[in-house]
Amino acid sequence: LTGTIIVGAQWGDEGKGKIVDFLAGDYDIVVRFNGGNNTGHTVVYNGKKYRQHLIPSGILYKGKRLLIGSGEVINPEALFQEISILEKEGIKLNLMIDGKAHVVFPFHILQDCLSDVAQGKFSAGSTRTGIAPVYSDKAARNGIRIIDLTDEEIFNEKFNNLLKLKQLTLKFVYGDNTVIDGEALRQKYLEFGKRLLPMIGDVSLEVNKALDEGKRVLFEGAQGTMLCLDHGLYPYGTSSNTIAGGACTGVGVGPTKISEVIGVTKAYTSRVGSGPLPTELKDELGNMIREKGQEYGTTTGRPRRVGWLDLVTLKYASRVNGLTSFAVTKLDILGGLRKLKVCIGYKVGNETIKEHPSDLRVFSKCEPIYKEVDGWKDLTEDEWRQIAKEGYQSLPMELKNYLKLIEDEVGVPVKIISFGPSREFTILK
Ligand code: GDP
């Protein structure tokens, strides 16, 4: 079995892109299975930052097979922009997109903005890239898929229906008077279809064949466990399945083909958008971690909320993903703090709970129970580089204890240890 899934174990932005980049050299294929250009994965190489929104993070390996599964939703304009930025950097992509992936139109983006406002206190703080309306249309079977863009007759029929529906929705649901120029849009998307045609294929077939031949496939998830449509903090999450099961549905492989599920977690907690966050630090320390960790959204630039590491969340992530190991990132950011707090349970009224409560009302009342541990000293880039060369044994003792606490409380081993944005600042344990 040679399929490995990478998922975010927290609220997204855990550094999945970096971990995928670190591992991708050992894999034949990297495939994305959910989300759209509402997500941003950063890969740093030779001091240069590459930001992908739709394309898997294996871009820095020449000729690497990169696939976009049917579970992703595609804004063609954003995709071509991403491709063109990479091409300018001299990166030639070996990319295929599943024809079953659904398409984002500008009216989805408009609907997303209007709906985000209308949702009031239940708004998740959308990135306003149209993702929720597209997944809704997909589920309601009104959606248009990438493959539909390549057949004018089919496209026209579907597009006319969708356009009518959207025009009515904008006007009568949201009271918005925008008149969509359907004809211009129709032409534009047929043009996109022509450009996309050489990239369209059957991702499920290719991945299954590869796995059957013993090739190695890395499944890259977007966002994180707590944002999952089904198992996250609904409605404060995203509109796709971010957990490991989403890799199976979003690509078209059976769970029996998967051997490993790696949960990526920061050494602390961060999230962008609204909803309860028990370990949130609203003080100076929180600001300090935000600045040092550069906790600002890749897609929106919004400041992320930060807090102490929450092991109840990680335990939940282990449960719903079936994690086989953790990758812990951003350990460098906590360097220099004398004491660190780690949440090992919650207090709700007089009750102590150790499992993430499925009831949002309970979760919003959860007070963290902390264990205080010793921090490690702040190390320079050169010192971290040296540690990476020497391996696990050379990590500061306090840091090793911190990782051990995660392993003991959650019951999942830490396999990858990350202390810098680029590939070299990583230890495989
Ligand atoms: P993703 O969506 O999970 O891939 O995460 P993002 O790319 O949105 O955010 C993670 C950020 O942290 C990126 O800017 C990475 O370059 C950076 N990063 C990843 N791992 C580390 C690490 O161990 N240390 C530091 N300092 N930065 C890291």
Side-chain angles (χ1 to χ4, degrees):
L1 287 177
T2 48
T4 301
I5 298 175
I6 306 279
V7 287
Q10 300 171 301
W11 274 267
D13 315 311
E14 297 93 345
K16 296 174 293 297
K18 173 200 161 153
I19 299 301
V20 169
D21 173 68
F22 174 72
L23 292 173
D26 289 332
Y27 287 79
D28 300 287
I29 293 175
V30 186
V31 57
R32 266 273 306 270
F33 59 83
N34 74 307
N37 63 320
N38 55 338
T39 170
H41 293 185
T42 316
V43 178
V44 179
Y45 187 65
N46 275 342
K48 226 182 153 81
K49 262 193 184 177
Y50 299 86
R51 290 203 168 99
Q52 275 79 243
H53 301 280
L54 291 161
I55 299 170
S57 301
I59 50 157
L60 296 177
Y61 296 87
K62 206 169 163 213
K64 178 73 61 193
R65 189 59 165 156
L66 304 175
L67 304 177
I68 292 180
S70 62
E72 260 198 83
V73 291
I74 314 290
N75 176 333
E77 198 144 20
L79 177 70
F80 287 124
Q81 202 178 359
E82 212 170 305
I83 293 174
S84 126
I85 291 171
L86 291 174
E87 277 176 352
K88 277 195 198 118
E89 295 289 335
I91 296 171
K92 210 170 148 12
L93 296 169
N94 181 9
L95 178 71
M96 186 169 90
I97 305 167
D98 197 293
K100 298 188 294 294
H102 279 244
V103 180
V104 183
F105 289 85
F107 44 68
H108 287 123
I109 298 171
L110 179 56
Q111 187 183 344
D112 198 5
C113 299
L114 296 166
S115 143
D116 195 38
V117 174
Q119 282 170 336
K121 71 171 185 175
F122 294 115
S123 151
S126 170
T127 56
R128 303 188 175 190
T129 41
I131 307 307
V134 174
Y135 278 118
S136 314
D137 283 339
K138 173 180 173 174
R141 301 189 308 282
N142 292 314
I144 294 179
R145 300 167 310 162
I146 290 284
I147 193 75
D148 299 327
L149 301 180
T150 65
D151 184 313
E152 190 164 351
E153 208 176 311
I154 291 176
F155 176 68
N156 283 347
E157 248 179 89
K158 290 192 174 182
F159 179 72
N160 289 343
N161 285 346
L162 187 60
L163 182 67
K164 198 156 89 193
L165 177 73
K166 290 294 136 171
Q167 197 67 81
L168 291 170
T169 306
L170 294 180
K171 188 162 169 57
F172 293 109
V173 176
Y174 298 107
D176 182 84
N177 290 321
T178 304
V179 178
I180 304 163
D181 183 349
E183 187 44 32
L185 212 51
R186 199 180 67 79
Q187 293 296 346
K188 190 172 173 181
Y189 274 70
L190 280 171
E191 234 6 84
F192 283 148
K194 284 186 195 139
R195 286 175 69 191
L196 284 165
L197 191 59
M199 287 183 252
I200 301 176
D202 187 336
V203 166
S204 164
L205 183 64
E206 179 163 332
V207 168
N208 277 281
K209 267 191 177 162
L211 289 168
D212 289 344
E213 287 165 11
K215 289 191 178 147
R216 291 167 64 83
V217 180
L218 197 54
F219 298 78
E220 178 182 12
Q223 289 105 12
T225 299
M226 301 312 282
L227 301 175
C228 182
L229 178 60
D230 281 271
H231 300 284
L233 290 189
Y234 188 88
Y236 302 109
T238 195
S239 302
S240 63
N241 283 120
T242 60
I243 59 170
C248 296
T249 50
V251 171
V253 293
T256 47
K257 298 273 171 79
I258 305 299
S259 51
E260 257 191 275
V261 183
I262 304 175
V264 185
T265 172
K266 275 179 190 163
Y268 47 93
T269 296
S270 80
R271 84 152 290 171
V272 71
S274 29
L277 192 64
T279 63
E280 183 167 12
L281 286 165
K282 293 180 178 165
D283 55 4
E284 226 6 79
L285 183 59
N287 292 338
M288 194 283 278
I289 295 174
R290 181 178 308 107
E291 286 314 311
K292 192 171 175 198
Q294 279 303 296
E295 296 298 346
Y296 294 91
T298 309
T299 302
T300 57
R302 288 185 289 186
R304 295 174 185 146
R305 300 156 67 194
V306 299
W308 294 119
L309 185 64
D310 185 342
L311 296 184
V312 185
T313 298
L314 293 192
K315 205 165 141 192
Y316 179 67
S318 162
R319 161 153 59 97
V320 295
N321 290 293
L323 297 183
T324 55
S325 65
F326 278 121
V328 183
T329 63
K330 296 206 135 175
L331 285 153
D332 51 318
I333 304 303
L334 294 185
L337 298 175
R338 211 173 54 78
K339 291 281 178 193
L340 303 173
K341 287 181 183 173
V342 180
C343 171
I344 51 166
Y346 300 137
K347 200 131 206 113
V348 190
N350 292 325
E351 216 188 321
T352 300
I353 52 175
K354 288 282 216 172
E355 294 287 347
H356 173 75
S358 59
D359 186 336
L360 186 61
R361 289 169 305 179
V362 177
F363 187 61
S364 56
K365 290 192 196 118
C366 282
E367 297 285 338
I369 301 170
Y370 286 120
K371 183 172 177 136
E372 202 174 69
V373 297
D374 290 334
W376 48 95
K377 64 178 190 241
D378 206 10
L379 299 171
T380 63
E381 225 178 77
D382 281 341
E383 286 172 311
W384 284 117
R385 196 172 279 118
Q386 190 56 31
I387 286 175
K389 276 196 197 115
E390 288 171 16
Y392 176 77
Q393 289 315 322
S394 64
L395 284 167
M397 196 237 322
E398 299 83 359
L399 195 153
K400 283 190 269 191
N401 289 342
Y402 193 73
L403 298 177
K404 177 135 191 333
L405 177 62
I406 300 174
E407 292 182 328
D408 290 347
E409 283 286 325
V410 184
V412 171
V414 173
K415 180 177 166 180
I416 301 169
I417 302 159
S418 164
F419 34 80
S422 64
R423 219 180 275 168
E424 58 188 314
F425 297 101
T426 324
I427 288 176
L428 193 62
K429 193 179 159 193

